[in-house]
Amino acid sequence: MKILKGFSAAPGIARGIVCVYSHKLHEAVPHYNIPKKQTENELKRLDNAFREARKKINVMLNISEEIFGAEGKKIISAHIAVLNDAGLRKKIEDFIVNNGINAEHAVQDVFDDYIGKLTGHGMHFEEISHDIKDVKDRLLESFGLESGAFICPAGEREAVVVASDRLTPSMILGMPRENILAIVTRQGGYTSHATILARSLDVPVIFGIDVEKELACQCSVIVDGMIGKVYVAPDEKTVKLYDKKEKLRDERKYLCRVKSRHPAQTGEGERIRLKVNISTLGELQLLKEYVINDLEENISYDGIGLLRTEFLFMKGSRAPTEDEQVSVYKSVVDSARGKHVVIRLLDLSPEKTPAYIAENPEAYSALGVRGAAAAEMHRELYVEQVRALLRTAEYGDIKILLPMVADENDIDTYTGLIDEASASLSGSGKKFRKPDIGIMFETPSSIILADSLYRKIDFANIGTNDLLQYTTASSRDSMISQQRYHILHPSVVIMIKMLTDAGKKHGKETCLCGEVGTFENYYPVLLDAGVRSFSVPVTKYDDIKCELLHISSADYAGEAERYLENRTREAQDRFFESL
Ligand code: PEP
Ligand code: MG
């Protein structure tokens, strides 16, 4: 047996045979010179290839929107934009004419040059380069070249563990969902486009494993997404262990089905608030399927604990108007079916800052223009968003969440915006209401100052995704720093405990909404650290609710302390493996 250790991007257990997906399309690209009189013909071949690729991507756009909603549409729209880039097209044409070479050769060279320029400038550009590679492959395929494909036939006809050097959106969209048991890749990132799509498939996803070297078609594996491990040719002991784990999981699911009408609670009936995170409108559809389903008279979830509003600002070439925003927020409130919706003000970051807001999104990096500083810099935009929220509050139960707060100055800046928005609405004839205001605890500073900050707010969310990167000086979306970006870092556990204590003291709800909440095994530690309110991705809602039902106070009492006794990363990982 060989054990491979990578980074978990989505939990879950899968077992099956591996099918390797190869992207080695570039090796099939012919290189040859063309006589001058054939240039016209070559340009025609290029034109046909572009037309063909556009057709394929348009088909993909429809599939993507159907399956993944607005987020899926956005990703494929970005591919179309690359194809429609007149500058890029002109460069390829010039390359053919000036160098007297075949069209597919020119496509390869021009794209590779473009991709090369994006490499080594941080994760954001790395992710864009994956999308561009994907478009390049579509174009090359349109010349009749073999596309990226499974290198054994199993991948086309049965459910397999997909192993690939990298993951691309079109790869996911091109595979029947039911044929994907798990995904294992070398390259990846916790927040890359492809990972976001993969996570909504609800299968384990692991990146950081040298697939080409370590995995081969047909080898039998167990993939444990929770701990980021792949067991290749598992031995009898491991198979038995996972038999047990899966049996336990099935038994748990049975009990959970029986109790599905009840709100989230522990095994002893201690009530836990369980909400969902929504980052795209597509997820609202999933909310209906996964959480609300057909039990409309008995909706047991506890609301939308985090609505990330960036998606609204990412599409199109301008910001949504106040009225457009009101209409989207109202549709979210409607989808929430009477439960409250926590709506976060626009949280700008490089991958979420559209060109109409700033020409250089890099200025909005983790240590750049963030939170209240961004709100001050783009005051009008934020006042408009707040006006839309105050108007929506009149219509349904919403709360406003302030991102990236570091201290009271930040809260004052945001409060100034809220006052300005409500002053401008007064006398406008438009109905509005000031809802509860809460903050994201996601900077170490805010935690140190928690006691005073809690006095100024109505509720709080804990954002461990950012908190972790600012605490451990490791980027949340870089493969290189994943060893430090330990999703349940001991310092984060201690900070969570500090916050839940402070929240209790001030009688304010403190909801954990970072991705750490997607990992079932962490719940005993999180409960012992005092968390009684969680907000998790929609696709994890059922699993977490089920997990909670199987935990009693005897299971979690003292668990955080016991975990913290493990001083090294290895020991900390082992702590969960033994569960
Ligand atoms: C977080 O930082 O933990 C969080 C929930 O917000 P986001 O992932 O949107 O930054
Ligand atoms: Mg955050």
Side-chain angles (χ1 to χ4, degrees):
M1 178 174 75
K2 182 163 69 172
I3 304 174
L4 309 172
K5 177 85 179 89
F7 301 106
S8 166
I13 295 169
R15 47 172 128 195
I17 59 153
V18 165
C19 196
V20 176
Y21 188 96
S22 169
H23 294 273
K24 288 197 172 153
L25 183 63
H26 60 281
E27 287 178 4
V29 178
H31 285 204
Y32 53 88
N33 293 322
I34 49 155
K36 223 177 179 52
K37 60 177 192 296
Q38 265 186 33
T39 310
E40 268 316 302
N41 187 43
E42 219 47 37
L43 291 175
K44 213 179 269 161
R45 286 185 67 231
L46 180 74
D47 192 51
N48 286 342
F50 263 93
R51 216 165 320 126
E52 194 56 32
R54 216 169 274 129
K55 247 196 255 163
K56 276 187 195 149
I57 296 186
N58 274 327
V59 170
M60 227 183 272
L61 182 73
N62 296 334
I63 301 175
S64 174
E65 191 178 8
E66 226 167 74
I67 303 179
F68 300 107
E71 183 69 23
K73 186 177 175 191
K74 191 184 88 193
I75 292 168
I76 302 303
S77 301
H79 290 195
I80 293 175
V82 175
L83 264 190
N84 288 341
D85 182 334
L88 190 70
R89 170 78 178 260
K90 172 93 176 41
K91 247 190 200 150
I92 302 171
E93 289 170 352
D94 288 350
F95 219 74
I96 295 172
V97 177
N98 299 337
N99 298 309
I101 56 165
N102 60 311
E104 49 273 62
H105 181 176
V107 165
Q108 186 176 42
D109 282 9
V110 171
F111 267 86
D112 285 352
D113 182 50
Y114 190 5
I115 292 161
K117 284 187 180 132
L118 292 169
T119 311
H121 296 289
M123 199 59 190
H124 173 53
F125 290 103
E126 207 69 49
E127 282 168 11
I128 295 174
S129 81
H130 289 172
D131 288 341
I132 293 172
K133 272 182 204 149
D134 211 12
V135 177
K136 180 183 92 172
D137 288 355
R138 283 296 79 76
L139 255 178
L140 290 175
E141 268 173 51
S142 306
F143 284 101
L145 296 170
E146 273 290 294
S147 63
F150 284 114
I151 62 178
C152 48
E156 305 293 345
R157 54 170 198 236
E158 59 192 273
V160 292
V161 172
V162 178
S164 173
D165 186 62
R166 62 192 154 90
L167 198 58
T168 63
S170 48
M171 211 180 124
I172 300 174
L173 294 169
M175 291 174 193
R177 262 175 128 171
E178 62 279 10
N179 280 6
I180 307 177
L181 291 174
I183 297 172
V184 182
T185 66
R186 182 178 67 83
Q187 296 182 49
Y190 211 74
T191 56
S192 75
H193 281 154
T195 305
I196 292 169
L197 294 184
R199 205 173 279 135
S200 64
L201 295 174
D202 205 14
V203 297
V205 181
I206 296 177
F207 63 93
I209 287 181
D210 193 345
V211 164
E212 281 189 12
K213 206 168 117 214
E214 307 284 3
L215 292 172
C217 270
Q218 301 296 333
C219 61
S220 143
V221 291
I222 294 178
V223 180
D224 190 335
M226 167 67 206
I227 56 175
K229 279 188 178 171
V230 179
Y231 300 87
V232 185
D235 60 19
E236 220 183 299
K237 196 171 140 218
T238 309
V239 170
K240 276 200 180 133
L241 177 73
Y242 278 88
D243 283 347
K244 221 162 101 188
K245 281 193 184 194
E246 282 183 314
K247 189 162 166 257
L248 208 67
R249 190 185 62 185
D250 292 346
E251 283 168 10
R252 286 171 166 229
K253 286 223 160 122
Y254 177 73
L255 174 67
C256 294
R257 266 202 302 279
V258 175
K259 292 230 176 189
S260 68
R261 282 165 184 261
H262 293 268
Q265 54 185 285
T266 64
E268 293 155 319
E270 181 183 0
R271 181 77 168 86
I272 306 292
R273 289 192 192 187
L274 189 58
K275 313 181 200 182
V276 295
N277 294 343
I278 300 281
S279 316
T280 66
L281 284 182
E283 276 176 303
L284 275 187
Q285 183 56 32
L286 292 180
L287 175 71
K288 246 186 241 166
E289 286 169 26
Y290 277 73
V291 179
I292 295 180
N293 54 54
D294 54 354
L295 304 172
E296 293 195 9
E297 80 294 352
N298 187 10
I299 299 168
S300 63
Y301 85 116
D302 290 297
I304 297 178
L306 169 66
L307 177 76
R308 294 179 166 101
T309 57
E310 293 79 41
F311 72 88
L312 250 175
F313 293 80
M314 297 293 298
K315 50 178 192 178
S317 52
R318 58 162 181 84
T321 64
E322 184 183 315
D323 285 346
E324 284 166 346
Q325 288 188 60
V326 172
S327 116
V328 174
Y329 301 143
K330 273 184 174 176
S331 75
V332 177
V333 168
D334 284 341
S335 304
R337 296 293 171 86
K339 302 288 178 176
H340 72 236
V341 183
V342 174
I343 306 182
R344 188 175 68 186
L345 289 190
L346 181 62
D347 185 11
L348 293 175
S349 62
E351 71 283 12
K352 294 191 273 185
T353 302
Y356 67 79
I357 292 185
E359 272 175 16
N360 62 334
E362 284 305 289
Y364 296 73
S365 65
L367 297 177
V369 184
R370 294 301 301 263
E376 258 179 332
M377 195 176 273
H378 303 282
R379 197 171 180 89
E380 242 175 76
L381 186 78
Y382 278 83
V383 169
E384 196 158 27
Q385 187 182 26
V386 175
R387 280 172 56 104
L389 293 175
L390 299 187
R391 286 173 55 195
T392 310
E394 178 64 23
Y395 178 81
D397 187 5
I398 68 157
K399 299 169 192 281
I400 296 181
L401 182 62
L402 312 175
M404 282 294 154
V405 167
D407 52 32
E408 289 193 40
N409 294 310
D410 284 349
I411 298 184
D412 292 345
T413 300
Y414 285 122
T415 309
L417 292 177
I418 295 167
D419 290 344
E420 187 180 328
S422 63
S424 68
L425 280 171
S426 302
S428 69
K430 289 180 173 132
K431 284 188 176 169
F432 72 98
R433 179 181 71 83
K434 259 197 200 176
D436 280 356
I437 307 290
I439 63 169
M440 286 289 287
F441 276 108
E442 53 187 343
T443 64
S445 164
S446 64
I447 286 143
I448 293 165
L449 300 173
D451 195 45
S452 62
L453 299 187
Y454 265 111
R455 292 176 208 279
K456 301 194 93 168
I457 55 175
D458 302 304
F459 70 96
N461 273 25
I462 310 178
T464 48
N465 304 343
D466 279 308
L467 182 56
L468 194 52
Q469 72 169 350
Y470 292 120
T471 304
T472 59
S474 61
S475 164
R476 63 186 274 185
D477 46 22
S478 159
M479 244 287 287
I480 302 156
S481 56
Q482 290 299 313
Q483 191 60 26
R484 286 160 72 94
Y485 190 88
H486 175 193
I487 192 131
L488 195 66
H489 197 282
S491 61
V492 167
V493 175
I494 292 169
M495 285 190 282
I496 291 173
K497 174 91 178 91
M498 286 164 71
L499 283 176
T500 56
D501 284 348
K504 217 184 282 167
K505 175 179 155 194
H506 292 276
K508 311 267 165 85
E509 181 178 351
T510 305
C511 176
L512 178 69
C513 65
E515 294 291 314
V516 67
T518 60
F519 293 85
E520 287 106 301
N521 284 9
Y522 294 164
Y523 274 72
V525 169
L526 296 172
L527 288 169
D528 191 42
V531 188
R532 293 294 179 273
S533 172
F534 298 89
S535 190
V536 299
V538 178
T539 47
K540 288 306 296 178
Y541 174 83
D542 260 348
D543 290 342
I544 302 301
K545 192 173 169 193
C546 189
E547 177 66 24
L548 286 166
L549 263 181
H550 288 85
I551 302 176
S552 65
S553 54
D555 299 318
Y556 69 72
E559 197 66 353
E561 244 167 69
R562 274 191 293 282
Y563 171 64
L564 292 173
E565 280 165 15
N566 297 282
R567 306 264 178 231
T568 63
R569 173 72 188 262
E570 211 191 332
Q572 286 148 13
D573 285 349
R574 259 204 319 270
F575 183 83
F576 292 106
E577 279 170 35
S578 59
L579 291 178

